[in-house]
């Protein structure tokens, strides 16, 4: 861990305790609907640009604003951007939009929480943009990974499709005996918990060896 | 056990007093006590039941072997993996395809036990966690009540989920009495009829035994492999009680709560037969004596155990009478497992002792 990173963690830690759980809370509405790789990619495609644009606009508009007002501004910006994303989806991918339902709009809540983690006020504009990009990518990748595991176990397929790109894969045995728990909300928490435990265990092993 | 040497003094967390009973001894004793009921299940259901039991045990032991050798904490001899596997197998219907017990056992040992730190650190009963996972994963395979192949007279031998029967019994809405249920599950065998009438004659004017009660006691009924015979399960439990390996508080309060609730909500006509059906039907006996009593996932103090047992019983009855799934024992025990730390904190001995001591000092 570099000193800068430790500093960043400390800054996060001052504002919000237990950022891991905040992150989990932030992505949980998205997890509820991310039952296929495609849906997760769509959500990631909302979260990443919204986070980055919100961060950039925040740096533009938020100069010299008090911290309480910053939060209001941030929520407003995210709300506007997610609504815009919703309209874009309705125009370009109405079927996917219908499948995602309310959860597309609910990503606003995720983005607000993620933005709070990524955006301590004293950061420079470039730094917080980079942070938002990293966080958006991380959340998107995490969502997609979890969704793929869930889809593989719960439906026996893995589909990753954005527009005309990508395709779907049918897993030989699992497709006939899908474990339906994996695509339910409880399955999402199970998979996330196991992945988090695995990541932490790997981290612990690295730090002890 | 983690021990730290500090200035020549060995410091370890409680317990400090050893009764000379090792974990391995308890595990193997419990396994032994489950064998009669398991053998009965195999006898009643035939080879499919044996296949399910052996797959579950093999998967459990292999998972334990793999993980413990990976972590270099070899622990196969303590018998806990074999017991977990056996318990997983006993909660399955004999018709379960081979991958069901395998997944349940691997989840039980790998996730519910080892992911939380191994034996003694698991926060829910591993076997029940495995059972619930596969119930959620393949509900249509696990909610099945397989009928025994022996002694069944043909009357309406179709397997019926406990839920509808329990609802009939509890609300009295469907008008179903225990006799009506017994006619369907179990179908009321010839043996039951013959012995029943003999006993009725013996009892004389003191009333008749409900039809099907004997089938329930002996275990000539539909259900999972290990939950059939109340008598054999009780016999195994009696040995464990005698050796003081399980606490009586948990099963007694759990069974008592289910009985009380079944009696209260059983409706005027159902009465005691409904109580008997709730106690002897489904997996209550197996769960109350062999799963809720797991020392790792049950409270420490006797009072805490009573609270725990009451909670298990109430939740079991609630799920049985109102839930979507046909059986509530696993849900009741696992949910109460999660509350054990809270119960321990509430019923902590030291607080009361300290207060008592303060009173003494004041005097």
């Amino acid at each position: 861990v570099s000193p800068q990173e430790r500093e960043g963690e400390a800054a996060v830690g001052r504002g919000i305790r237990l950022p891991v759980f905040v992150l989990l809370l932030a992505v949980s509405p998205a997890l509820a609907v991310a039952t296929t790789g495609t849906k997760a990619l769509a959500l990631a495609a909302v979260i990443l640009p919204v986070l980055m644009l919100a961060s950039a606009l925040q740096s533009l508009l938020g100069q010299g604003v008090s911290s309480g007002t910053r939060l209001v501004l941030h929520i407003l910006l995210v709300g506007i951007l997610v609504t815009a994303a919703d309209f874009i989806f309705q125009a370009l991918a109405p079927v996917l939009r219908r499948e995602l339902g309310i959860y597309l709009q609910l990503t606003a809540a995720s983005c607000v929480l993620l933005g709070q983690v990524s955006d301590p006020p004293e950061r420079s504009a470039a730094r917080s943009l980079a942070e938002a990009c990293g966080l958006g990518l991380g959340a998107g990748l995490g969502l997609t990974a979890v969704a793929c595991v869930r889809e593989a176990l719960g439906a026996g397929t893995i589909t990753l499709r954005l527009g005309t790109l990508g395709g779907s894969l049918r897993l030989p045995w699992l497709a006939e005996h899908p474990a339906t728990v994996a695509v339910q909300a409880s399955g999402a928490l199970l998979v996330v918990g196991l992945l988090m435990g695995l990541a932490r265990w790997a981290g612990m092993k690295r730090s002890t060896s | 056990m983690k021990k730290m040497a500090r200035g020549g003094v060995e410091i370890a967390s409680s317990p400090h007093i050893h009764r000379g009973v090792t974990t391995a001894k308890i595990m193997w004793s419990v396994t032994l006590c489950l064998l009669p009921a398991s053998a009965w299940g195999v006898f009643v259901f035939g080879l499919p039941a044996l296949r399910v039991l052996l797959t579950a045990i093999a998967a459990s032991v292999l998972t334990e072997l793999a993980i413990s050798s990976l972590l270099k904490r070899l622990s196969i001899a303590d018998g806990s993996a074999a017991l977990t596997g056996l318990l997983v197998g006993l909660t399955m219907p004999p018709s379960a395809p081979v991958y069901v017990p395998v997944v349940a056992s691997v989840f039980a040992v790998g996730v519910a036990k080892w992911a939380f730190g191994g034996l003694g650190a698991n926060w829910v009963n591993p076997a029940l966690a495995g059972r619930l996972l596969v119930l959620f994963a393949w509900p249509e395979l696990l909610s099945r009540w397989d009928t025994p192949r022996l002694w069944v007279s043909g009357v309406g031998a179709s397997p019926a989920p406990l839920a509808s029967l329990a609802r009939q019994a509890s609300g009295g809405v469907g008008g179903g009495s225990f006799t009506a249920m017994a006619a369907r599950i179990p179908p009321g065998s010839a043996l039951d009829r013959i012995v029943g009438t003999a006993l009725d004659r013996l009892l004389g004017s003191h009333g008749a035994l409900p039809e099907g009660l004997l089938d329930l006691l002996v275990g000539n009924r539909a259900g999972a492999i290990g939950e059939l015979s109340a008598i054999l399960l009780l016999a195994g439990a009696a040995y464990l009680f005698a050796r003081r390996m399980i606490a009586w508080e948990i099963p007694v309060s759990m069974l008592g709560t289910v009985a009380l609730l079944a009696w209260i909500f059983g409706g005027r006509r159902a009465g005691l037969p409904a109580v008997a059906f709730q106690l002897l039907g489904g997996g209550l006996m197996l769960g109350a004596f062999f799963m809720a009593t797991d020392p790792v996932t049950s409270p420490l103090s006797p009072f805490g155990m009573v609270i725990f047992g009451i909670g298990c019983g109430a939740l079991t009855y609630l799920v049985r009478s109102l839930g979507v799934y046909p059986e509530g024992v696993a849900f009741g025990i696992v949910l109460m497992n999660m509350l054990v730390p809270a119960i321990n904190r509430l019923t902590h001995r030291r607080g009361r002792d300290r207060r008592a001591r303060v009173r003494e000092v004041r005097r």
Side-chain angles (χ1 to χ4, degrees):
Chain A
V1 182
S2 70
Q4 284 88 9
E5 275 172 337
R6 203 171 293 143
E7 194 187 48
E9 277 203 12
V12 170
R14 221 186 308 129
I16 304 161
R17 280 185 196 170
L18 301 171
V20 177
F21 287 105
V22 174
L23 286 175
L24 190 59
L25 191 70
V27 292
S28 57
L31 281 175
V33 76
T35 51
T36 66
T38 308
K39 286 186 193 168
L41 277 182
L43 290 174
V46 174
I47 291 175
L48 177 62
V50 165
L51 275 180
M52 289 183 69
L53 276 172
S55 163
L57 288 171
Q58 180 100 1
S59 305
L60 265 177
L61 304 171
Q63 301 295 331
V65 181
S66 71
S67 64
T69 327
R70 265 183 86 85
L71 180 60
V72 176
L73 182 65
H74 186 232
I75 293 173
L76 272 175
L77 284 173
V78 167
I80 292 167
L81 289 167
V82 169
T83 311
D86 189 26
F87 286 147
I88 295 171
F89 261 83
Q90 281 182 30
L92 298 180
V95 181
L96 193 57
R97 164 72 183 72
R98 217 172 305 131
E99 276 177 28
L100 292 175
I102 186 78
Y103 290 101
L104 187 64
Q105 288 141 34
L106 271 177
T107 48
S110 312
C111 290
V112 168
L113 278 167
L114 287 171
Q116 285 312 107
V117 176
S118 76
D119 194 29
E122 61 266 25
R123 290 266 172 80
S124 71
R127 181 88 200 271
S128 61
L129 190 67
E131 190 91 348
C133 179
L135 205 59
L137 280 177
L141 272 179
L143 258 180
T144 315
V146 171
C148 285
V149 172
R150 289 175 67 194
E151 196 195 344
L153 294 176
T157 55
I158 297 177
T159 39
L160 283 172
R161 210 174 271 140
L162 261 191
T164 52
L165 292 170
S168 98
L169 182 71
R170 208 180 118 92
L171 302 169
W173 185 82
L174 280 163
E176 283 96 58
H177 311 279
T180 43
V181 66
V183 288
Q184 289 160 7
S186 49
L189 294 176
L190 196 64
V191 171
V192 170
L194 287 176
L195 287 179
M196 271 170 67
L198 214 61
R200 195 170 290 183
W201 184 60
M204 258 160 54
K205 264 194 114 176
R206 205 177 310 132
S207 65
T208 49
S209 64
Chain B
M1 286 297 124
K2 265 184 198 162
K3 284 179 184 171
M4 287 179 288
R6 230 180 251 170
V9 181
E10 236 181 34
I11 301 169
S13 68
S14 64
H16 302 292
I17 301 167
H18 206 278
R19 201 146 57 83
V21 179
T22 57
T23 307
K25 220 172 188 176
I26 295 183
M27 292 293 171
W28 288 119
S29 304
V30 175
T31 310
L32 208 69
C33 288
L34 278 168
L35 281 185
S38 320
W40 175 259
V42 172
F43 176 62
V44 165
F45 289 124
L47 283 180
L50 188 65
R51 192 202 57 192
V52 168
L53 288 184
L54 290 182
T55 351
I57 295 172
S60 171
V61 169
L62 285 179
T63 314
E64 175 91 8
L65 208 59
I67 296 177
S68 62
S69 59
L70 199 72
L71 297 176
K72 300 187 182 68
R73 275 168 58 186
L74 214 59
S75 57
I76 207 72
D78 69 16
S80 70
L83 177 58
T84 300
L86 179 63
L87 283 172
V88 165
L90 291 178
T91 62
M92 303 268 149
S95 63
V98 90
Y99 57 87
V100 172
V102 170
V103 170
S105 282
V106 170
F107 185 82
V109 174
V111 176
K113 192 166 94 182
W114 276 105
F116 290 91
L119 182 66
N122 49 296
W123 59 301
V124 294
N125 186 308
L128 284 179
R131 150 86 204 187
L132 284 181
L133 179 87
V134 292
L135 175 64
F136 289 142
W138 298 286
E140 70 289 347
L141 295 178
L142 270 292
S143 321
R144 216 182 271 164
W145 280 45
D146 294 338
T147 39
R149 62 181 179 134
L150 298 160
W151 297 339
V152 173
S153 55
V155 202
S158 65
L162 185 60
S164 62
L165 299 167
R167 203 169 298 135
Q168 278 177 13
S170 66
V173 185
S177 66
F178 183 71
T179 322
M181 293 186 298
R184 282 162 63 186
I185 193 171
S189 63
L191 178 85
D192 181 84
R193 237 169 290 138
I194 294 165
V195 181
T197 17
L199 280 176
D200 281 349
R201 218 166 279 158
L202 227 125
L203 287 169
S205 57
H206 296 290
L209 284 174
E211 190 186 331
L213 182 69
L214 287 167
D215 276 343
L216 274 177
L217 275 174
V218 173
N220 182 30
R221 65 174 177 97
I225 298 168
E227 65 189 26
L228 298 182
S229 173
I231 285 182
L232 292 178
L233 287 170
L234 280 171
Y239 175 78
L240 292 179
F241 279 132
R243 299 289 305 271
R244 287 173 52 213
M245 281 174 173
I246 56 177
W248 63 269
E249 284 92 344
I250 295 170
V252 166
S253 55
M254 183 174 178
L255 296 176
T257 307
V258 171
L260 186 71
L261 289 173
W263 182 66
I264 292 175
F265 296 108
R268 249 182 316 169
R269 282 199 300 153
L272 287 178
V275 174
F277 179 76
Q278 288 282 343
L279 286 183
L280 302 174
L284 187 60
M285 286 292 160
L286 182 64
F289 288 107
F290 293 96
M291 291 175 178
T293 50
D294 176 3
V296 179
T297 53
S298 58
L300 296 168
S301 70
F303 183 51
M305 288 177 186
V306 171
I307 297 178
F308 176 80
I310 291 175
C312 288
L315 286 170
T316 298
Y317 188 79
L318 208 63
V319 175
R320 272 186 176 183
S321 47
L322 300 173
V324 193
Y325 290 99
E327 176 60 300
V329 175
F331 290 102
I333 296 174
V334 163
L335 281 171
M336 288 312 288
N337 281 165
M338 296 174 188
L339 292 181
V340 163
I343 295 175
N344 276 339
R345 215 168 302 145
L346 272 177
T347 58
H348 198 28
R349 264 283 188 58
R350 207 194 298 147
R352 238 183 300 155
D353 287 357
R354 199 190 292 138
R355 239 175 288 145
R357 218 177 304 138
V358 167
R359 238 177 283 139
E360 265 171 37
V361 169
R362 274 186 193 152
R363 244 179 250 155

